[in-house]
Amino acid sequence: MTDALQFRLASPQDAEAITACVRAVRGDHYPNRLLYAPEELAQVIAGNRLVFALALLPSTGEVAGLAALEPSPYGRTGELGVMMVRPSQRRQHVADDLRLLLVAWARENGRRGLWGEVLAPLRQSPDTACASQQLTERAQLVPCGIALGLWPGPAGERDSFVRYARPLPPDAMPTACRLAARHRALASEILERLCCPVSFEDESSASGTGILDMKHEAGLCSWSLAVPRIGRDSAAELLVAIWRIQADPGVACAQLELPLAQPGASTLCELAEARGFFFSTITAEPFSDGPGLRLQWLAQAIDPGELVLINPLARRIAEHQSREQARVRSTSILVAA
């Protein structure tokens, strides 16, 4: 690790120092507003809802860099999220050292198949060299999805990202999944690359009472939905949630995550797609019973064909996403009519 800095995991007492680092690197404009609320952030760290790795200046204890991991509340995976390093400490592999510390925590705590998001610039943008994608490719991670317009950009546009994941250890047992036939070939390719073998079977009826979680990200102008347990009531609850989101003029995008191993997954996918949601991501273990499908909805369409993507699988995901976005927009107009 870098000799000039000290590396450790954060405690709740580090919340104010984390906020100071965020302000030093991004000013007051970072979309995730939690990072500007030290008291709330301390509670999140205490509950392990976010795990931070810190790089500290030995002389002052000041946070010179940070990275975060968000463990999934439903399965064994986690998202490698925010990464910031003060300008004076860049080009010293600080980001790599922070990431290694989080990967070690994940391994010790039974988290695997970690994934993260890497900027996918537009063709006319100045970042067409895709340095972050190239760095991720060298780590031998697997593209598993594309998130269109996920974050507000600096000039009023919406930034899009490629999602990359670490393969699972080669000991995963095959999982039976429910998924519409049009998505199966691509999902199979992604999951095979992630060492997550699956088979597909016909849909069956859900039973019992479902669970629908909703999270509003005001700074991102977005909603995240998840159905960790599909029940007989899930379709009706999902319809109400989608209506609420799409009726809000302040919402730019929404995501929906479904557990593919549960009866009713394909039905909920079709229901959401009939209302404008489209294919985004396949992940290996976001739920305790296996793989997940992420769909997304955009208030304003974004063409994934305009993104710069250096991985051939990422480009195939974009092609599939482009076709699906066009298909669901035409069918959702008919449903609305």
Side-chain angles (χ1 to χ4, degrees):
M1 287 189 172
T2 307
D3 293 333
L5 298 172
Q6 296 175 348
F7 291 82
R8 64 169 173 82
L9 296 177
S11 70
Q13 289 71 34
D14 295 309
E16 290 190 2
I18 290 172
T19 296
C21 180
V22 173
R23 283 204 165 96
V25 176
R26 295 296 298 269
D28 289 320
H29 306 297
Y30 193 65
N32 186 345
R33 306 311 296 175
L34 172 65
L35 300 183
Y36 297 101
E39 291 185 6
E40 184 180 355
L41 183 60
Q43 296 175 5
V44 168
I45 295 171
N48 273 344
R49 285 178 284 162
L50 280 177
V51 179
F52 281 89
L54 304 180
L56 305 172
L57 291 170
S59 57
T60 63
E62 181 181 60
V63 175
L66 60 90
L69 169 68
E70 182 177 4
S72 169
Y74 312 120
R76 292 194 289 177
T77 188
E79 177 186 358
L80 291 164
V82 58
M83 173 78 71
M84 294 186 190
V85 179
R86 291 177 186 261
S88 61
Q89 301 297 322
R90 292 174 186 169
R91 302 186 184 278
Q92 300 181 49
H93 304 289
V94 175
D96 292 337
D97 292 343
L98 290 168
R99 191 177 294 109
L100 287 173
L101 191 55
L102 291 177
V103 170
W105 180 92
R107 187 181 302 113
E108 292 170 3
N109 288 272
R111 300 283 174 168
R112 57 193 212 167
L114 303 181
W115 62 276
E117 293 164 343
V118 179
L119 182 67
L122 293 170
R123 295 188 188 281
Q124 67 269 27
S125 77
D127 187 31
T128 52
C130 292
S132 55
Q133 287 185 46
Q134 293 180 19
L135 178 64
T136 305
E137 289 286 322
R138 288 198 291 272
Q140 298 184 321
L141 304 185
V142 177
C144 61
I146 294 174
L148 295 174
L150 189 63
W151 283 50
E157 78 285 5
R158 302 285 301 185
D159 286 338
S160 299
F161 298 84
V162 189
R163 289 191 170 116
Y164 281 85
R166 290 177 176 270
L168 300 179
D171 59 357
M173 298 296 291
T175 303
C177 294
R178 288 85 173 168
L179 185 62
R182 60 183 169 274
H183 300 316
R184 290 181 181 180
L186 182 58
S188 294
E189 181 178 4
I190 294 170
L191 291 170
E192 182 179 356
R193 295 270 299 273
L194 292 175
C195 301
C196 180
V198 296
S199 61
F200 293 103
E201 60 183 41
D202 293 338
E203 182 63 287
S204 55
S205 299
S207 61
T209 302
I211 296 175
L212 171 64
D213 289 337
M214 300 181 63
K215 180 182 179 182
H216 184 216
E217 297 278 3
L220 305 182
C221 302
S222 71
W223 280 88
S224 294
L225 309 179
V227 187
R229 186 168 71 217
I230 302 175
R232 291 189 302 268
D233 56 347
S234 293
E237 288 196 353
L238 183 57
L239 279 174
V240 172
I242 291 174
W243 178 87
R244 174 183 174 187
I245 289 168
Q246 294 179 342
D248 185 346
V251 176
C253 67
Q255 300 182 86
L256 167 64
E257 192 163 29
L258 301 172
L260 293 180
Q262 295 184 28
S266 183
T267 299
L268 293 187
C269 173
E270 297 280 5
L271 181 152
E273 288 182 344
R275 284 148 185 86
F277 281 73
F278 56 90
F279 181 96
S280 173
T281 304
I282 294 286
T283 45
E285 288 187 340
F287 298 99
S288 59
D289 48 12
L293 166 69
R294 282 200 182 199
L295 303 170
Q296 70 171 121
W297 172 83
L298 293 172
Q300 299 292 328
I302 296 174
D303 181 4
E306 293 299 313
L307 303 178
V308 180
L309 304 167
I310 65 175
N311 186 286
L313 177 54
R315 291 196 290 269
R316 290 197 295 279
I317 294 172
E319 291 167 2
H320 182 72
Q321 191 176 59
S322 182
R323 291 191 299 270
E324 284 297 296
Q325 186 175 194
R327 182 185 67 82
V328 303
R329 280 193 172 269
S330 62
T331 57
S332 63
I333 289 171
L334 293 175
V335 169

